[in-house]
Amino acid sequence: MDAKQELAARHEAVQRDPEGYWLQEARRLDWDSFPTKADRSSFDQADFGIRWFEDGELNVSVNCLDRHLDTSGDRTAIVFEGDEPGEGYSLSYRQVYEETCRFANALKQCGVGKGDRVAIYMPMIPEAAFAMMACARIGAIHSVVFGGFSPDSLADRIQDCGAKLLVTADEGVRGGKRIPLKANADKALAKAPCEAVIMVRRTGGEVNFVEGRDRWWHDLRASVPAECLPERMNAEDPLFILYTSGSTGKPKGVMHTTGGYLLWVAATFDMLFGAKEDDVFWCTADVGWVTGHSYVVYGPLANGATTVMFDGVPSYPDFGRFWETSNRLGVTIFYTAPTAIRALMREGKDWVQRHDRSQLRLLGTVGEPINPEAWNWYHDVVGEGRCEIVDTWWQTETGGALIAPVPGVTKTKPGSATKPLPGVFPALVDNEGALLEGSTEGNLVLTQSWPGQMRGVWGDPNRFFQTYFTTYPGRYFTGDGCRRDEDDYYWITGRVDDVINVSGHRMGTAEVESALVAHPKVAEAAVVGMPHDVKGQGIYAFVTLNAGEPESEDLRQELRQFVRTEIGPIASPDAIQFASALPKTRSGKIMRRILRKIAEGESDKVGDTSTLAEPAVVEALIAGAVAG
Ligand code: ATP
Ligand code: MG
C-alpha cells in the first residue's frame, strides 16, 4: 500500500469498525495488560464521560524509553541546544532512560508517590523531560509551568493542582539574560507551599537554599540507582495537568490520562512527521505548553525518534538562529508557530538565506491560523519550495493534532489546516446548533471522541462538561470558527468570541488579518470589533509594520484600500492603529480580548493579563488608541 491508500484505508476502517480500528492502533504501544475495550465515551449529560482503553494497563515512560533499549539504546533521543549557539550535547535512549529512572528514584526519596502532583518550573533542559517521564514512571501527575511565568502565576498553579513537590533550576538563560527561576519559585512557595523542592543546577548562580525542603538534583542523583521499576498504570489514570494559554480568559487546568493521550501523540507524530532513523526533529515549543508535551517529549520519544530541546529564542544571537542551528544539528523536520514565522519574516529573508537549509524536508506550524502570506514565505523562502508545510490545528484540550495534512498525501492550500486525521469527526454548526452541510462557515465542533481528548478540568468535575458540551449539546465545542470549502478543506477563521459583525456580515478575524499581512509593508495585524453607530460593529485594526517601515496617514489610506480590494468594502478597517508590538500570550498568541477593550475605549477592563508576555505593550497601545 502506498501512503495515499493507507490513509484512505484508515479513514474507511475507523468509520466501519471504530472499536476494531482503535484496538489495532493500540498496538503502537507496549501494554502490561492489553485493553479489550476501546472507546466508551459519551458526550451526553446522562452518562457523560471520556473513557478510552479503560481496562488496559501500561506505563508511559516504558513506552518512551525502555522499549527502545534493545534495538536503539545507542540512538540519540534528545539533542540539547542551549541559549548560546553550540552550547549543548546529545543523549542516547539509554542515557535518558537511566536519568529518568534516577529522577524517579529521587522523587520517591522525597516522598512522592502514585497520584501525587509535581509542579515543574524549568528551563528547556533535558532534566525537564527526565522529570516529566520520572513522574510518569512512578504514577505521579506532573504539571509543567512555563519558566517565563511570574511567581504569582506559578503560585496559582501550584495551589490549583495541590503540588507536593516542585522541580526547578537555579536560573534559566534566555536570549543572553538570566532568569531567576529559584528566586521566583521561593516567592511562589511563600504563597503556595510545597513539601519539597528539587533544584537542578543550570548556571551555578547564587540561590537561596531552604534546609529540610530543598534538595539539589546532582546530590540526589549521586545517591540513587539508575534503575526504577515502573508503576503499572490504568489507561485512564491521570498523566498530567496543564493550564491552557489564556488567550480567551482564565487558564483552564486541562487533565490528560495515560493510554489515550500517549496513543494519540504517538500516532499523530508518526502520521504527520513520520520521522525515520536518520531524521532529527525540532519542535521549537517550550515544554510549558502542550505542544512541548506532545511533540518535544512524548510523541517523538514514543516513536524512538531524535528530538531537539532548545533553550533559546529565535532572535538570539541574531534572527538567523533557527536556520544556523537547524543546519548545524542536521534538523530534517522543523515545527514552529506562526508568531515566530511572522517575526522572522519582518526581519527579511537574508537571515534565512545565509544558512544552508538543504537538509530540511518538512515544515510544521501550530498555534494560530497561519496567514497565507506567512505560509508562502515559510514554504518558498525557508523551505525553498521543496518542503511540505504541515499546518496542524489542535488545542491543549485535544492532546494532539486533529486537523492537518498528511505529507505526501494531502494536497495543501496556504492558510488551511486541510482535513481531519482518521478518527476525527469535525462538523460545523450554526449558532442554534443546527448542522451545516457542504461549503459553508460556522462553529467548529467535534461529534465523537478521540483518544487524546482531555478528561476533565482538574479539581472541578462540572467545569469540563459546562465549558465544552453545553453550548451545542451532544457535541464538543472547540470555541473556534471555521470555514469549509468546496473541497472539504477546513479553514480556521479565529475564535468565535472574536467574530466581528459588520452591518449583519459576520467576519472572522483571520481573514481580515491575512489581508493586511499580505500588504508588503505589514508584518503582523490583529483586528477586533469596535462599537459603530451605523454598522453595529466596525473594524479596528492594530498593525505592526516591517522593520524600518515609517508610519503615515497615507499608508493608513493605502491599507484600507488594500483590504477593500483583497476582500471587499465591507472588510475595510474603520480605524487603524500602528503598533510596535501586539499583546501576546507567553506562547505567542495574540490576545484579542485585550485589544477589543482598547478599541471599545474600556482599557480599564482588560481582565486577566497574567499570561501576557510583555504587559508593557498594553500601556503603549492604550496611549496610541485612535478614534474610529
Ligand atoms: P485559552 O483556551 O486559555 O483561551 P488558547 O485557546 O490559546 O487559550 P491553546 O490550547 O494553546 O490555548 O490554543 C488552542 C487554540 O489555538 C485553538 O483553539 C485555535 O484557536 C488556535 N490554533 C492552534 N493551532 C491552530 C492552527 N493550526 N490554525 C488555526 N488556529 C490554531
Ligand atoms: Mg482555548
Side-chain angles (χ1 to χ4, degrees):
M1 258 200 282
D2 67 14
K4 192 170 178 179
Q5 290 166 325
E6 192 197 318
L7 184 64
R10 285 177 175 280
H11 279 294
E12 189 275 327
V14 73
Q15 292 258 11
R16 179 175 38 82
D17 173 21
E19 196 73 1
Y21 176 82
W22 288 116
L23 289 174
Q24 182 58 38
E25 274 292 284
R27 299 197 179 279
R28 286 179 183 271
L29 304 180
D30 276 8
W31 300 78
D32 295 314
S33 172
F34 195 80
T36 65
K37 305 176 205 169
D39 184 12
R40 293 293 180 275
S41 309
S42 165
F43 289 177
D44 294 323
Q45 184 149 26
D47 57 348
F48 178 75
I50 311 301
R51 296 169 282 259
W52 283 85
F53 312 111
E54 60 186 3
D55 60 350
E57 290 181 335
L58 75 168
N59 183 285
V60 166
S61 76
V62 169
N63 276 278
C64 291
L65 302 171
D66 308 39
R67 67 167 169 158
H68 306 310
L69 295 183
D70 277 350
T71 53
S72 337
D74 297 329
R75 183 185 299 168
T76 302
I78 298 178
V79 180
F80 170 62
E81 168 79 6
D83 191 48
E84 293 299 328
E87 175 215 356
Y89 49 86
S90 295
L91 297 168
S92 68
Y93 269 92
R94 183 167 312 280
Q95 287 172 306
V96 176
Y97 161 81
E98 288 179 356
E99 293 303 313
T100 298
C101 284
R102 288 195 180 99
F103 216 111
N105 287 325
L107 288 172
K108 280 189 187 169
Q109 209 179 90
C110 294
V112 176
K114 186 170 174 174
D116 287 338
R117 273 80 61 206
V118 172
I120 300 178
Y121 181 64
M122 286 279 272
M124 272 296 280
I125 54 179
E127 286 85 351
F130 308 157
M132 291 164 75
M133 289 188 289
C135 288
R137 196 158 190 93
I138 64 172
I141 304 166
H142 62 69
S143 183
V144 184
V145 180
F146 173 54
F149 274 143
S150 66
D152 278 347
S153 303
L154 174 60
D156 286 350
R157 287 163 179 74
I158 289 176
Q159 205 144 41
D160 193 80
C161 74
K164 186 168 191 175
L165 182 143
L166 173 70
V167 180
T168 189
D170 49 1
E171 296 175 309
V173 203
R174 281 276 164 114
K177 292 192 209 63
R178 293 200 174 193
I179 299 152
L181 290 175
K182 178 57 163 53
N184 288 346
D186 283 331
K187 282 185 206 149
L189 292 167
K191 278 179 77 177
C194 287
E195 279 174 32
V197 173
I198 298 181
M199 183 175 17
V200 176
R201 180 175 282 162
R202 164 80 170 105
T203 63
E206 200 62 30
V207 286
N208 174 39
F209 194 93
V210 179
E211 286 303 332
R213 184 195 71 183
D214 298 353
R215 314 283 294 271
W216 281 109
W217 159 237
H218 54 260
D219 288 341
L220 284 164
R221 182 179 179 278
S223 71
V224 292
E227 293 283 330
C228 173
L229 276 184
E231 196 72 36
R232 232 177 132 111
M233 303 298 288
N234 180 273
E236 284 299 348
D237 283 336
L239 176 65
F240 66 82
I241 302 160
L242 181 66
Y243 294 82
T244 53
S245 303
S247 309
T248 56
K250 198 173 152 44
K252 300 170 272 281
V254 168
M255 200 253 295
H256 281 285
T257 57
T258 300
Y261 170 80
L262 189 67
L263 181 67
W264 192 250
V265 298
T268 52
F269 177 82
D270 183 33
M271 265 186 274
L272 298 176
F273 303 116
K276 303 282 178 306
E277 234 165 89
D278 40 9
D279 275 311
V280 177
F281 176 79
W282 182 9
C283 165
T284 67
D286 191 279
V287 286
W289 313 120
V290 72
T291 309
H293 283 58
S294 303
Y295 300 113
V296 175
V297 180
Y298 292 120
L301 297 182
N303 280 280
T306 298
T307 184
V308 175
M309 284 186 85
F310 174 48
D311 200 20
V313 293
S315 54
Y316 180 83
D318 61 44
F319 293 103
R321 181 63 187 273
F322 276 172
W323 325 118
E324 180 276 325
T325 300
S326 291
N327 181 34
R328 181 162 39 77
L329 302 181
V331 171
T332 54
I333 308 169
F334 181 80
Y335 190 28
T336 195
T339 183
I341 299 167
R342 290 191 300 256
L344 296 177
M345 224 170 116
R346 186 180 185 197
E347 304 300 326
K349 56 185 168 193
D350 287 356
W351 291 110
V352 186
Q353 288 170 340
R354 65 179 65 166
H355 303 285
D356 179 12
R357 294 163 333 284
S358 55
Q359 82 292 340
L360 285 172
R361 67 174 183 89
L362 277 182
L363 299 172
T365 153
V366 60
E368 285 179 292
I370 179 164
N371 324 103
E373 181 81 1
W375 194 103
N376 282 318
W377 187 84
Y378 201 25
H379 183 262
D380 299 342
V381 178
V382 176
E384 304 175 296
R386 163 176 43 82
C387 306
E388 281 184 78
I389 304 291
V390 184
D391 176 7
T392 62
W393 173 84
W394 58 294
Q395 314 178 294
T396 310
E397 295 90 335
T398 71
L402 297 194
I403 301 180
V406 173
V409 180
T410 319
K411 201 177 151 316
T412 53
K413 300 188 188 190
S416 168
T418 75
K419 298 189 168 206
L421 293 171
V424 175
F425 299 95
L428 301 183
V429 297
D430 67 16
N431 288 342
E432 280 65 53
L435 266 186
L436 301 168
E437 303 288 342
S439 158
T440 184
E441 192 167 331
N443 304 301
L444 180 63
V445 298
L446 294 151
T447 62
Q448 291 177 41
S449 186
W450 63 98
Q453 185 166 24
M454 72 183 273
R455 300 301 196 262
V457 174
W458 184 258
D460 194 348
N462 290 327
R463 190 163 166 210
F464 181 40
F465 183 78
Q466 284 302 326
T467 309
Y468 302 94
F469 299 90
T470 53
T471 319
Y472 304 112
R475 301 188 173 114
Y476 169 82
F477 178 40
T478 63
D480 287 347
C482 185
R483 182 163 65 80
R484 188 172 49 217
D485 72 12
E486 58 288 354
D487 299 321
D488 281 339
Y489 276 52
Y490 288 80
W491 301 72
I492 305 296
T493 53
R495 320 286 177 143
V496 168
D497 293 348
D498 294 334
V499 164
I500 307 168
N501 194 329
V502 183
S503 312
H505 296 268
R506 292 168 59 79
M507 257 177 295
T509 50
E511 197 181 11
V512 187
E513 288 164 8
S514 289
L516 284 162
V517 172
H519 188 281
K521 293 180 182 166
V522 174
E524 189 154 50
V527 306
V528 295
M530 61 186 266
H532 193 286
D533 290 347
V534 183
K535 308 185 207 171
Q537 267 191 316
I539 297 179
Y540 192 118
F542 294 82
V543 170
T544 305
L545 299 176
N546 282 330
E549 206 62 67
E551 305 169 357
S552 71
E553 195 48 46
D554 283 354
L555 182 55
R556 254 197 202 107
Q557 285 312 326
E558 193 180 317
L559 291 177
R560 284 206 180 91
Q561 191 53 46
F562 189 76
V563 175
R564 190 176 271 271
T565 2
E566 291 273 303
I567 308 180
I570 193 80
S572 172
D574 299 277
I576 295 181
Q577 177 175 349
F578 292 117
S580 57
L582 298 172
K584 293 194 180 162
T585 63
R586 300 276 178 149
S587 53
K589 294 163 195 275
I590 298 171
M591 255 204 227
R592 287 182 196 73
R593 67 183 162 84
I594 290 181
L595 298 174
R596 201 181 310 137
K597 289 295 171 203
I598 296 174
E600 287 167 355
E602 298 196 323
S603 40
D604 50 325
K605 298 190 187 132
V606 291
D608 186 349
T609 54
S610 63
T611 60
L612 213 53
E614 289 177 70
V617 166
V618 178
E619 304 305 313
L621 289 172
I622 293 173
V626 295

